[in-house]
Amino acid sequence: MAETHHKPEAHTPTTTRAYTVGYVSDAKYQPMPAVTLKGHWLKEMGFDTGTALAVKILPGCLILAAQEPQPEPPAEPEVVTTLKRACKKLSDRKQREIAAFIELVAAPQRRLRSGGN
C-alpha cells in the first residue's frame, strides 16, 4: 500500500490550464492583448527554451505546435564566399558576369564522348 505522502515518479501535466489575457504597450503606447505561458510543464510537453512555435489561429482557439529544428544549409565552398565578397566591390555588369561564371562552374558537367575512337 502507498504511503500517505507518496508522489508518483512521473508527473503528467494536466490538460487544462487557466490564464487571463493581459496587455502590453505597442510602439504608440497603446495597449494590445498579450498572453504569457510559463511553467515546467512546457518543457515536459516539448516546448523547451528556444523551441520554435507554429500558431494556428481559429475563432476562439489558438493551437501551439512545437517545430522541429530545421537543418542548416550546407556551407558554400570558400571560393564562392570569396568571390561574393569580391563582387561587392565590382560594377553591376562584372557582378553579373561572375555570377554567371559561378553558375556555370557549379552546374553538373556532362561528359563529352570522343568521336574518333
Side-chain angles (χ1 to χ4, degrees):
M1 179 147 198
E3 296 179 21
T4 307
H5 298 290
H6 175 72
K7 292 184 180 180
E9 291 295 318
H11 172 69
T12 303
T14 59
T15 57
T16 303
R17 304 243 175 220
Y19 287 89
T20 301
V21 177
Y23 73 93
V24 294
S25 295
D26 65 8
K28 297 179 182 177
Y29 302 103
Q30 298 295 316
M32 65 179 167
V35 176
T36 301
L37 302 176
K38 56 186 171 183
H40 296 290
W41 61 272
L42 286 165
K43 183 174 182 178
E44 293 172 15
M45 302 309 325
F47 296 90
D48 201 0
T49 303
T51 301
L53 295 178
V55 181
K56 183 161 180 133
I57 303 164
L58 302 168
C61 180
L62 297 176
I63 299 172
L64 303 178
Q67 298 294 296
E68 293 293 323
Q70 298 299 316
E72 291 188 26
E76 4 181 67
E78 185 179 345
V79 66
V80 173
T81 306
T82 303
L83 282 170
K84 285 182 177 178
R85 201 174 320 123
C87 277
K88 292 179 183 176
K89 300 174 185 174
L90 300 173
S91 68
D92 287 342
R93 184 177 63 83
K94 288 289 185 189
Q95 287 184 31
R96 285 191 302 274
E97 289 175 0
I98 291 176
F101 173 74
I102 291 172
E103 287 179 28
L104 178 67
V105 171
Q109 301 295 314
R110 293 189 307 185
R111 291 192 124 158
L112 298 176
R113 293 184 188 177
S114 56
N117 292 347

PDB file of all heavy atoms in Angstrom, residues 98-115:
ATOM      1  N   ILE A  98      30.400  37.440 -63.101  1.00  0.00           N
ATOM      2  CA  ILE A  98      30.960  36.495 -62.137  1.00  0.00           C
ATOM      3  C   ILE A  98      29.882  35.533 -61.656  1.00  0.00           C
ATOM      4  O   ILE A  98      30.124  34.330 -61.507  1.00  0.00           O
ATOM      5  CB  ILE A  98      31.632  37.238 -60.960  1.00  0.00           C
ATOM      6  CG1 ILE A  98      32.902  37.938 -61.474  1.00  0.00           C
ATOM      7  CG2 ILE A  98      31.957  36.288 -59.818  1.00  0.00           C
ATOM      8  CD1 ILE A  98      33.613  38.782 -60.454  1.00  0.00           C
ATOM      9  N   ALA A  99      28.659  36.034 -61.445  1.00  0.00           N
ATOM     10  CA  ALA A  99      27.556  35.153 -61.026  1.00  0.00           C
ATOM     11  C   ALA A  99      27.289  34.102 -62.091  1.00  0.00           C
ATOM     12  O   ALA A  99      27.080  32.925 -61.777  1.00  0.00           O
ATOM     13  CB  ALA A  99      26.306  35.976 -60.740  1.00  0.00           C
ATOM     14  N   ALA A 100      27.316  34.502 -63.356  1.00  0.00           N
ATOM     15  CA  ALA A 100      27.101  33.548 -64.448  1.00  0.00           C
ATOM     16  C   ALA A 100      28.226  32.515 -64.474  1.00  0.00           C
ATOM     17  O   ALA A 100      27.985  31.315 -64.688  1.00  0.00           O
ATOM     18  CB  ALA A 100      27.013  34.283 -65.776  1.00  0.00           C
ATOM     19  N   PHE A 101      29.459  32.971 -64.243  1.00  0.00           N
ATOM     20  CA  PHE A 101      30.605  32.061 -64.209  1.00  0.00           C
ATOM     21  C   PHE A 101      30.459  31.051 -63.067  1.00  0.00           C
ATOM     22  O   PHE A 101      30.668  29.848 -63.259  1.00  0.00           O
ATOM     23  CB  PHE A 101      31.905  32.858 -64.048  1.00  0.00           C
ATOM     24  CG  PHE A 101      33.109  32.002 -63.830  1.00  0.00           C
ATOM     25  CD1 PHE A 101      33.659  31.282 -64.872  1.00  0.00           C
ATOM     26  CD2 PHE A 101      33.693  31.905 -62.576  1.00  0.00           C
ATOM     27  CE1 PHE A 101      34.776  30.476 -64.670  1.00  0.00           C
ATOM     28  CE2 PHE A 101      34.795  31.106 -62.369  1.00  0.00           C
ATOM     29  CZ  PHE A 101      35.343  30.385 -63.419  1.00  0.00           C
ATOM     30  N   ILE A 102      30.053  31.533 -61.887  1.00  0.00           N
ATOM     31  CA  ILE A 102      29.871  30.640 -60.736  1.00  0.00           C
ATOM     32  C   ILE A 102      28.802  29.593 -61.055  1.00  0.00           C
ATOM     33  O   ILE A 102      28.976  28.406 -60.771  1.00  0.00           O
ATOM     34  CB  ILE A 102      29.503  31.440 -59.465  1.00  0.00           C
ATOM     35  CG1 ILE A 102      30.708  32.281 -59.014  1.00  0.00           C
ATOM     36  CG2 ILE A 102      29.037  30.519 -58.339  1.00  0.00           C
ATOM     37  CD1 ILE A 102      30.392  33.255 -57.895  1.00  0.00           C
ATOM     38  N   GLU A 103      27.686  30.020 -61.654  1.00  0.00           N
ATOM     39  CA  GLU A 103      26.623  29.075 -62.014  1.00  0.00           C
ATOM     40  C   GLU A 103      27.127  28.040 -63.013  1.00  0.00           C
ATOM     41  O   GLU A 103      26.811  26.857 -62.913  1.00  0.00           O
ATOM     42  CB  GLU A 103      25.422  29.823 -62.587  1.00  0.00           C
ATOM     43  CG  GLU A 103      24.640  30.589 -61.542  1.00  0.00           C
ATOM     44  CD  GLU A 103      23.467  31.333 -62.144  1.00  0.00           C
ATOM     45  OE1 GLU A 103      22.934  30.890 -63.185  1.00  0.00           O
ATOM     46  OE2 GLU A 103      23.079  32.359 -61.563  1.00  0.00           O
ATOM     47  N   LEU A 104      27.927  28.489 -63.992  1.00  0.00           N
ATOM     48  CA  LEU A 104      28.462  27.571 -64.998  1.00  0.00           C
ATOM     49  C   LEU A 104      29.384  26.543 -64.357  1.00  0.00           C
ATOM     50  O   LEU A 104      29.284  25.345 -64.618  1.00  0.00           O
ATOM     51  CB  LEU A 104      29.228  28.363 -66.073  1.00  0.00           C
ATOM     52  CG  LEU A 104      29.895  27.543 -67.170  1.00  0.00           C
ATOM     53  CD1 LEU A 104      28.830  26.876 -68.038  1.00  0.00           C
ATOM     54  CD2 LEU A 104      30.805  28.412 -68.004  1.00  0.00           C
ATOM     55  N   VAL A 105      30.267  26.988 -63.477  1.00  0.00           N
ATOM     56  CA  VAL A 105      31.223  26.086 -62.838  1.00  0.00           C
ATOM     57  C   VAL A 105      30.514  25.158 -61.853  1.00  0.00           C
ATOM     58  O   VAL A 105      30.859  23.985 -61.728  1.00  0.00           O
ATOM     59  CB  VAL A 105      32.331  26.910 -62.115  1.00  0.00           C
ATOM     60  CG1 VAL A 105      33.205  26.024 -61.273  1.00  0.00           C
ATOM     61  CG2 VAL A 105      33.155  27.661 -63.139  1.00  0.00           C
ATOM     62  N   ALA A 106      29.497  25.657 -61.160  1.00  0.00           N
ATOM     63  CA  ALA A 106      28.812  24.858 -60.143  1.00  0.00           C
ATOM     64  C   ALA A 106      27.842  23.854 -60.740  1.00  0.00           C
ATOM     65  O   ALA A 106      27.498  22.871 -60.092  1.00  0.00           O
ATOM     66  CB  ALA A 106      28.064  25.784 -59.185  1.00  0.00           C
ATOM     67  N   ALA A 107      27.399  24.058 -61.986  1.00  0.00           N
ATOM     68  CA  ALA A 107      26.429  23.156 -62.614  1.00  0.00           C
ATOM     69  C   ALA A 107      27.078  21.806 -62.898  1.00  0.00           C
ATOM     70  O   ALA A 107      28.266  21.726 -63.205  1.00  0.00           O
ATOM     71  CB  ALA A 107      25.909  23.770 -63.909  1.00  0.00           C
ATOM     72  N   PRO A 108      26.314  20.720 -62.789  1.00  0.00           N
ATOM     73  CA  PRO A 108      26.870  19.399 -63.112  1.00  0.00           C
ATOM     74  C   PRO A 108      27.327  19.378 -64.570  1.00  0.00           C
ATOM     75  O   PRO A 108      26.632  19.875 -65.454  1.00  0.00           O
ATOM     76  CB  PRO A 108      25.707  18.438 -62.882  1.00  0.00           C
ATOM     77  CG  PRO A 108      24.592  19.226 -62.303  1.00  0.00           C
ATOM     78  CD  PRO A 108      24.931  20.671 -62.403  1.00  0.00           C
ATOM     79  N   GLN A 109      28.462  18.808 -64.795  1.00  0.00           N
ATOM     80  CA  GLN A 109      29.034  18.771 -66.136  1.00  0.00           C
ATOM     81  C   GLN A 109      28.683  17.456 -66.820  1.00  0.00           C
ATOM     82  O   GLN A 109      28.706  16.399 -66.203  1.00  0.00           O
ATOM     83  CB  GLN A 109      30.567  18.897 -66.058  1.00  0.00           C
ATOM     84  CG  GLN A 109      31.030  20.185 -65.387  1.00  0.00           C
ATOM     85  CD  GLN A 109      30.653  21.406 -66.197  1.00  0.00           C
ATOM     86  OE1 GLN A 109      30.844  21.440 -67.399  1.00  0.00           O
ATOM     87  NE2 GLN A 109      30.121  22.416 -65.525  1.00  0.00           N
ATOM     88  N   ARG A 110      28.335  17.550 -68.109  1.00  0.00           N
ATOM     89  CA  ARG A 110      28.111  16.342 -68.912  1.00  0.00           C
ATOM     90  C   ARG A 110      29.413  15.961 -69.580  1.00  0.00           C
ATOM     91  O   ARG A 110      30.154  16.821 -70.048  1.00  0.00           O
ATOM     92  CB  ARG A 110      27.041  16.601 -69.968  1.00  0.00           C
ATOM     93  CG  ARG A 110      25.673  16.840 -69.372  1.00  0.00           C
ATOM     94  CD  ARG A 110      24.623  16.874 -70.427  1.00  0.00           C
ATOM     95  NE  ARG A 110      24.973  17.843 -71.488  1.00  0.00           N
ATOM     96  CZ  ARG A 110      24.198  18.155 -72.485  1.00  0.00           C
ATOM     97  NH1 ARG A 110      23.031  17.595 -72.613  1.00  0.00           N
ATOM     98  NH2 ARG A 110      24.570  19.043 -73.386  1.00  0.00           N
ATOM     99  N   ARG A 111      29.663  14.669 -69.633  1.00  0.00           N
ATOM    100  CA  ARG A 111      30.881  14.197 -70.284  1.00  0.00           C
ATOM    101  C   ARG A 111      30.654  14.130 -71.788  1.00  0.00           C
ATOM    102  O   ARG A 111      29.620  13.667 -72.252  1.00  0.00           O
ATOM    103  CB  ARG A 111      31.240  12.822 -69.773  1.00  0.00           C
ATOM    104  CG  ARG A 111      31.684  12.846 -68.338  1.00  0.00           C
ATOM    105  CD  ARG A 111      32.272  11.520 -68.054  1.00  0.00           C
ATOM    106  NE  ARG A 111      33.622  11.746 -67.563  1.00  0.00           N
ATOM    107  CZ  ARG A 111      34.263  10.872 -66.839  1.00  0.00           C
ATOM    108  NH1 ARG A 111      33.707   9.725 -66.528  1.00  0.00           N
ATOM    109  NH2 ARG A 111      35.467  11.116 -66.405  1.00  0.00           N
ATOM    110  N   LEU A 112      31.616  14.589 -72.515  1.00  0.00           N
ATOM    111  CA  LEU A 112      31.555  14.517 -73.975  1.00  0.00           C
ATOM    112  C   LEU A 112      32.233  13.237 -74.435  1.00  0.00           C
ATOM    113  O   LEU A 112      33.288  12.861 -73.934  1.00  0.00           O
ATOM    114  CB  LEU A 112      32.249  15.731 -74.595  1.00  0.00           C
ATOM    115  CG  LEU A 112      31.643  17.090 -74.252  1.00  0.00           C
ATOM    116  CD1 LEU A 112      32.505  18.204 -74.853  1.00  0.00           C
ATOM    117  CD2 LEU A 112      30.231  17.187 -74.786  1.00  0.00           C
ATOM    118  N   ARG A 113      31.608  12.581 -75.411  1.00  0.00           N
ATOM    119  CA  ARG A 113      32.226  11.375 -75.976  1.00  0.00           C
ATOM    120  C   ARG A 113      33.203  11.791 -77.060  1.00  0.00           C
ATOM    121  O   ARG A 113      32.937  12.704 -77.833  1.00  0.00           O
ATOM    122  CB  ARG A 113      31.154  10.472 -76.575  1.00  0.00           C
ATOM    123  CG  ARG A 113      30.236   9.902 -75.572  1.00  0.00           C
ATOM    124  CD  ARG A 113      29.306   8.960 -76.268  1.00  0.00           C
ATOM    125  NE  ARG A 113      28.268   8.529 -75.336  1.00  0.00           N
ATOM    126  CZ  ARG A 113      27.282   7.751 -75.666  1.00  0.00           C
ATOM    127  NH1 ARG A 113      27.146   7.340 -76.907  1.00  0.00           N
ATOM    128  NH2 ARG A 113      26.392   7.378 -74.773  1.00  0.00           N
ATOM    129  N   SER A 114      34.306  11.088 -77.119  1.00  0.00           N
ATOM    130  CA  SER A 114      35.240  11.381 -78.207  1.00  0.00           C
ATOM    131  C   SER A 114      34.719  10.692 -79.472  1.00  0.00           C
ATOM    132  O   SER A 114      34.301   9.544 -79.445  1.00  0.00           O
ATOM    133  CB  SER A 114      36.663  10.885 -77.854  1.00  0.00           C
ATOM    134  OG  SER A 114      36.640   9.524 -77.557  1.00  0.00           O
ATOM    135  N   GLY A 115      34.715  11.415 -80.578  1.00  0.00           N
ATOM    136  CA  GLY A 115      34.070  10.934 -81.797  1.00  0.00           C
ATOM    137  C   GLY A 115      34.935  10.028 -82.638  1.00  0.00           C
ATOM    138  O   GLY A 115      34.438   9.314 -83.486  1.00  0.00           O
TER     139      GLY A 115
END
